[in-house]
Amino acid sequence: MSSASYRLGAVELAGAIRRKEISAVAVLESVLERIALCQPKLNAFRVILSERARAEAAAVDVAIAAGKDPGPLAGVPYGAKDLFDVAGLPTAAGSKINLDRLAATADSVLVARMRAAGAVLLGVQTMDEYAYGFTTENAHYGPVHNPHDLSRSAGGSSGGSAAAVAAGLGALSIGSDTNGSIRVPSSFCGIFGLKPTFGRLPRSGSFPFVYDIDHVGPFARSVADLAHIYDVLQGWDSSDPACVRRAPDLTFPALATDTPLRIAVLGGWFEDMATAEAKSAVAAAADALSARDRVTFKAAELARSAAFLISVASGANLHRENLRARPGDFDPGTRGRFLAGALLPADVVLQAQRVRRRAYDEAMSLFEHHDVLLAPSTPTSAPLIGASMQVRANIGVLTQPISAIGLPVVAAPVRTGGLPIGVQIIAAPWREDLALQCAARLEAAGVATSQVVDP
Amino acid sequence: MPDGKENKDEAVRQRAEFAGLSVRPEDFPALAQGWALIQPHLTLVMAESLPPEAEPAALFRP
């Protein structure tokens, strides 16, 4: 079991470790071997933290031997996107510039919660510079390769986090999503991802991109694992001003509920911008769920444009000092957009924020008649590495309208042909439970599945 | 007479200076590409007619 334990999911691993069927250290060594084999092909990690991981795994085994509760994710190996603070490392956020910052003195809140739950941190994972991209083609650290086809993009900006989970370099990972950075790489790498409601999970100790659209969330290879890690991560934190003070709504215990769900497919923009393979994935999901209704989110295109403008202006403002002082140290892929964003008039950004509010109001009316909405995660499956910036900037065309208004989404991997492609399962604010239940039904029907891929 | 492109470049340079950025000549192609990506979104959003009651989404929460 130990040599192939990298193939197991988080719930299964934590159970086996807690029952002493396998040690956390043995699981970790299996995963570290896997990383040694696959990292040169994938470039999923920017830094591998073997020493810390061995100490955390050993601590889990000691706790179990002492009869203590090792936590719900006992010994489960995972990775964190390179924008989460990890004590002892500068938080690069995919940049060269941030390496000049002091090392973090403490773990980010989500990493600390994972540690408290017994999870074992493997390292920090490659991302687009400052989370501004959809393909993780990073000029400083190289591209992340898709485990399904090494010539293709893993998606971004959390590309390393998704590629790692898809290839078994950890059972779980945590990433961020401002414009699609969890859902796009989930789609391209064929795994599950959850972008929770805006304000649900604290971003404390993570490097920002767009203050009022940044979300953080998990990746996994099964819905049960996704719900399990999400439940561990929930809870208010005072140091993130956007984090809403509410009690955790645990989702794992309710996954198997058979409460009827009113499900509709999003038409209009979400069909117009999708290729045949993306539409086919949604159709397969809709068939499995007997979803016959079709609704239109008329403001989707506007919401997407508003998100684009707010993102570029916020990013430019965030990086203004470095754009002034050392523009040549930015990834060329981000520099031009940030410079352009710095020139946007305030009037434009305010208009975008007003448009965004109107889009939110319209979307809320859709949930009066439906619990869950289905749409493709990406217009296509993974593109080849090296696509033009015009192509790369438009990969989030179907995810941006949803994150712009903060709705919770599970990205579920569907395979109708060669490469996997994701379906967004979108719910009303704070109803992650419904999106996860819907994903569980797709998984049970064999429509949305994910196994470890050998790159 | 300067052509249209020179006028546009000068306008961008002036706006960048106003923003406190000195855009290096070698950054103009990247800036132009960035602006080309922004332009259609700017046009779409600014064409939208909103009533005075349409308040912006906002980060600040009392």
Side-chain angles (χ1 to χ4, degrees):
Chain A
M1 181 182 183
S2 61
S3 65
S5 53
Y6 68 84
R7 291 191 176 274
L8 301 180
V11 172
E12 201 175 353
L13 274 176
I17 290 168
R18 292 168 69 93
R19 292 189 299 272
K20 301 184 187 176
E21 293 167 10
I22 187 171
S23 71
V25 168
V27 168
L28 173 64
E29 293 304 329
S30 165
V31 174
L32 289 177
E33 274 178 34
R34 180 76 174 168
I35 291 174
L37 181 72
C38 299
Q39 168 70 5
K41 299 177 186 174
L42 299 177
N43 188 31
F45 286 84
R46 188 180 71 78
V47 180
I48 297 163
L49 297 166
S50 307
E51 203 174 312
R52 170 173 168 153
R54 287 192 170 105
E56 288 187 341
V60 168
D61 287 336
V62 166
I64 291 172
K68 295 178 184 166
D69 182 355
L73 290 173
V76 175
Y78 80 103
K81 187 176 182 177
D82 186 21
L83 53 62
F84 290 100
D85 285 353
V86 171
L89 292 180
T91 306
S95 75
K96 172 182 165 185
I97 291 168
N98 278 28
L99 292 180
D100 292 346
R101 288 158 58 97
L102 294 175
T105 54
D107 290 339
S108 62
V109 165
L110 291 199
V111 170
R113 286 181 182 173
M114 291 294 280
R115 191 180 66 240
V120 173
L121 180 64
L122 296 164
V124 295
Q125 295 166 320
T126 316
M127 57 183 281
D128 283 290
E129 187 182 58
Y130 294 128
Y132 201 13
F134 290 120
T135 58
T136 316
E137 293 176 62
N138 186 307
H140 311 301
Y141 305 110
V144 174
H145 296 266
N146 191 314
H148 292 268
D149 178 343
L150 295 175
S151 68
R152 293 182 183 274
S153 164
S157 63
S158 313
S161 305
V165 169
L169 317 187
L172 304 167
S173 60
I174 53 174
S176 68
D177 186 318
T178 302
N179 285 302
S181 291
I182 287 175
R183 292 160 290 160
V184 168
S186 295
S187 177
F188 290 172
C189 291
I191 62 170
F192 291 92
L194 170 62
K195 184 202 78 61
T197 309
F198 180 76
R200 170 75 86 171
L201 298 185
R203 304 159 308 174
S204 321
S206 66
F207 196 83
F209 173 19
V210 182
Y211 296 112
D212 63 340
I213 317 184
D214 287 345
H215 306 67
V216 287
F219 296 92
R221 292 190 299 270
S222 73
V223 179
D225 282 3
L226 195 69
H228 200 45
I229 180 175
Y230 168 59
D231 287 351
V232 162
L233 296 175
Q234 284 190 62
W236 178 67
D237 183 78
S238 62
S239 52
D240 177 357
C243 190
V244 174
R245 190 168 198 160
R246 55 187 292 146
D249 296 315
L250 298 184
T251 58
F252 184 74
L255 267 189
T257 181
D258 56 2
T259 309
L261 290 173
R262 301 169 300 164
I263 304 170
V265 171
L266 276 175
W269 176 255
F270 295 91
E271 285 185 326
D272 298 345
M273 303 309 290
T275 59
E277 63 179 332
K279 285 188 263 199
S280 169
V282 173
D287 277 353
L289 297 164
S290 301
R292 311 269 177 257
D293 293 353
R294 181 170 303 271
V295 296
T296 304
F297 175 23
K298 296 186 187 73
E301 184 181 10
L302 268 171
R304 189 248 170 165
S305 287
F308 197 106
L309 296 169
I310 294 163
S311 297
V312 74
S314 296
N317 176 258
L318 184 65
H319 298 291
R320 178 176 295 274
E321 291 309 312
N322 286 322
L323 285 169
R324 281 176 177 158
R326 49 194 297 191
D329 288 338
F330 282 82
D331 184 325
T334 54
R335 183 176 61 231
R337 286 178 289 167
F338 281 152
L339 285 171
L343 310 187
L344 275 179
D347 174 43
V348 170
V349 181
L350 273 174
Q351 173 86 352
Q353 291 285 23
R354 295 173 74 205
V355 161
R356 187 174 162 216
R357 170 60 61 86
R358 205 169 71 163
Y360 174 85
D361 291 343
E362 186 204 332
M364 287 307 97
S365 70
L366 299 178
F367 291 110
E368 290 171 11
H369 305 290
H370 295 95
D371 301 307
V372 165
L373 307 172
L374 305 178
S377 295
T378 48
T380 66
S381 55
L384 291 169
I385 289 171
S388 71
M389 182 53 77
Q390 187 66 35
V391 170
R392 287 158 61 181
N394 283 303
I395 291 171
V397 68
L398 304 173
T399 48
Q400 284 173 294
I402 309 302
S403 36
I405 54 174
L407 304 180
V409 187
V410 171
V414 175
R415 188 183 283 234
T416 58
L419 290 165
I421 190 164
V423 170
Q424 295 187 88
I425 304 169
I426 305 158
W430 316 112
R431 297 313 307 262
E432 289 86 349
D433 58 330
L434 299 182
L436 285 161
Q437 285 168 24
C438 188
R441 290 174 199 184
L442 285 178
E443 189 180 41
V447 172
T449 57
S450 179
Q451 290 90 32
V452 168
V453 181
D454 293 319
Chain B
M1 283 281 287
D3 64 16
K5 182 178 180 308
E6 282 172 353
N7 276 336
K8 206 169 177 181
D9 283 355
E10 178 56 19
V12 168
R13 194 191 61 73
Q14 285 180 7
R15 187 179 286 187
E17 269 187 12
F18 185 69
L21 302 168
S22 54
V23 180
R24 304 170 306 171
E26 62 266 35
D27 286 331
F28 262 92
L31 174 58
Q33 189 184 43
W35 194 258
L37 289 169
I38 288 174
Q39 187 70 56
H41 301 293
L42 194 154
T43 303
L44 185 70
V45 165
M46 295 312 281
E48 191 65 8
S49 175
L50 295 166
E53 296 77 18
E55 288 189 16
L59 174 63
F60 178 72
R61 293 176 188 81

